[in-house]
Amino acid sequence: MTLTVAIQMDHIRSIKIAGDTGFALLLEAQRRGHRVFHYTPDRLSLRDGAVTAMAEPIEARDVEGDHFTLGETERVDLSTVDVVLMRQDPPFDLAYITATHFLERIHPKTLVVNDPTHVRNAPEKIFVTLFPHLMPPTLISRDKAEIEEFRREHGEVVMKPLYGHGGASVFKIGREDPNFGSLYDLFAATFREPWVIQRFLPRVTEGDKRIILIDGEAAGAVNRVPAANDIRSNMVRGGAAKPTDLSPREREICETIGPELKRMGLILVGIDVIDGNLTEINVTAPTGLRAIKRLGGPDLSVKVWDVIESKIGRA
């Protein structure tokens, strides 16, 4: 089966290929003989009902600094391709949301991964609250009195922006922390949305596990251990990737949420688990595939493409 694939991503010249999941998916598509186009979200257009992108055919190589060659730009009608991989990084802002509106015009005739309607309707730090019994105590609010009451009840908390990503602006606040007032003022001036406040999990120092689910099933994991004197485990913030297996509790979490992810057409999902507590469900552009493979785990891009091809074969 030879497919035509379009990958919507941040420009390939800007990515770090050692950890980029979109790049891993691109390499596997190419290995299977699929024809792949590359375009950035700003080159997506909707005209007279047709969704098009100014895109280039791409050849990728797993060579840092010499990892791609682009062909001549052409206008591609995305309803004529088989698959669109929506792989640009957040922020999950109105530009991101607009792209989901465009792409849902062509899905499922063109398979969009992940389903753009459910990407839009599953913001990662809100979607996870559908499963409160799997989470640490969590408040989403910008009301100071509510936040103060939550802090009195739970003591140390983590405060972060609702639509943040990559570990940016994540703060640990103590029960009597004198910085809370200033931090509240800073958040209020910076973010219009509510914020996420969660009970602090001290065992985050042992790692924040990224578990990859493919079509609703746990497929692999990497444990991200924070750097010294930091609570953020994101690898872009200095977290160290370590091999890991799933605990019974983590398998329970995956088995609980997996059927809903599958129903929603969320083929590639990355969840974050700290000390047996589900903290986020990442559906926009989850990462972790290359780290899992580098640490001796399976090449999950193979399984992702097996699922994509099976869905197209049944269409």
Side-chain angles (χ1 to χ4, degrees):
M1 178 189 298
T2 300
L3 304 176
T4 301
V5 179
I7 182 166
Q8 176 175 303
M9 62 187 297
D10 303 314
H11 200 285
I12 193 164
R13 77 168 70 92
S14 69
I15 68 171
K16 295 180 171 61
I17 67 171
D20 194 274
T21 289
F23 188 72
L25 296 174
L26 198 165
L27 289 175
E28 179 61 19
Q30 191 172 270
R31 188 188 71 80
R32 293 176 181 229
H34 301 325
R35 185 184 186 205
V36 185
F37 287 93
H38 158 280
Y39 70 94
T40 53
D42 58 299
R43 296 190 297 167
L44 190 65
S45 299
L46 176 64
R47 179 173 179 175
D48 299 328
V51 180
T52 64
M54 299 303 293
E56 305 91 8
I58 185 169
E59 176 188 338
R61 297 172 292 277
D62 201 359
V63 180
E64 187 70 52
D66 182 30
H67 58 281
F68 71 97
T69 300
L70 297 178
E72 292 295 320
T73 302
E74 56 187 279
R75 181 182 290 107
V76 177
D77 181 344
L78 294 181
S79 71
T80 67
V81 309
D82 298 296
V83 183
V84 171
L85 301 176
M86 192 176 186
R87 287 298 313 176
Q88 80 268 26
D89 286 335
F92 188 74
D93 55 12
L94 283 174
Y96 213 112
I97 289 170
T98 300
T100 68
H101 281 290
F102 284 12
L103 292 179
E104 75 178 353
R105 300 289 185 96
I106 61 170
H107 180 82
K109 178 179 180 292
T110 294
L111 178 65
V112 181
V113 181
N114 286 316
D115 182 315
T117 301
H118 288 297
V119 167
R120 183 175 67 248
N121 293 341
E124 294 162 344
K125 296 179 180 66
I126 296 180
F127 179 41
V128 66
T129 63
L130 290 176
F131 308 97
H133 57 296
L134 303 177
M135 299 181 66
T138 300
L139 169 69
I140 300 178
S141 180
R142 60 184 291 127
D143 184 279
K144 191 172 185 180
E146 289 286 346
I147 298 171
E148 292 278 24
E149 180 179 333
F150 189 86
R151 290 177 62 221
R152 283 193 295 271
E153 180 177 352
H154 295 290
E156 292 185 320
V157 300
V158 169
M159 193 158 123
K160 54 189 175 181
L162 183 59
Y163 296 113
H165 62 100
S169 302
V170 177
F171 293 89
K172 175 188 173 186
I173 307 295
R175 184 184 294 273
E176 305 295 335
D177 198 317
N179 292 308
F180 172 71
S182 293
L183 186 61
Y184 176 89
D185 292 343
L186 177 64
F187 269 49
T190 305
F191 307 110
R192 296 182 60 191
E193 305 85 7
W195 320 311
V196 179
I197 302 92
Q198 284 182 330
R199 185 181 68 192
F200 175 65
L201 300 171
R203 292 184 66 182
V204 69
T205 56
E206 299 173 19
D208 178 350
K209 196 170 291 189
R210 164 57 57 89
I211 303 172
I212 299 296
L213 291 95
I214 299 175
D215 206 26
E217 296 185 359
V222 58
N223 194 32
R224 304 167 301 173
V225 180
N229 298 316
D230 202 334
I231 63 167
R232 301 172 302 172
S233 60
N234 311 71
M235 287 180 274
V236 295
R237 305 291 174 187
K242 305 289 185 182
T244 189
D245 294 315
L246 298 188
S247 69
R249 168 63 172 174
E250 289 158 354
R251 293 192 180 279
E252 176 193 354
I253 289 171
C254 294
E255 290 166 2
T256 300
I257 69 174
E260 183 67 2
L261 302 180
K262 184 180 178 71
R263 183 192 69 79
M264 296 170 72
L266 299 171
I267 292 173
L268 177 58
V269 173
I271 67 171
D272 297 337
V273 179
I274 302 172
D275 190 21
N277 293 271
L278 178 65
T279 60
E280 290 190 19
I281 300 176
N282 299 278
V283 305
T284 50
T287 62
L289 270 63
R290 300 215 87 189
I292 290 169
K293 181 181 178 182
R294 186 172 64 250
L295 293 169
D299 184 349
L300 297 185
S301 62
V302 173
K303 184 166 185 179
V304 172
W305 274 108
D306 286 347
V307 168
I308 291 171
E309 290 178 355
S310 71
K311 290 181 181 295
I312 291 174
R314 294 196 300 267

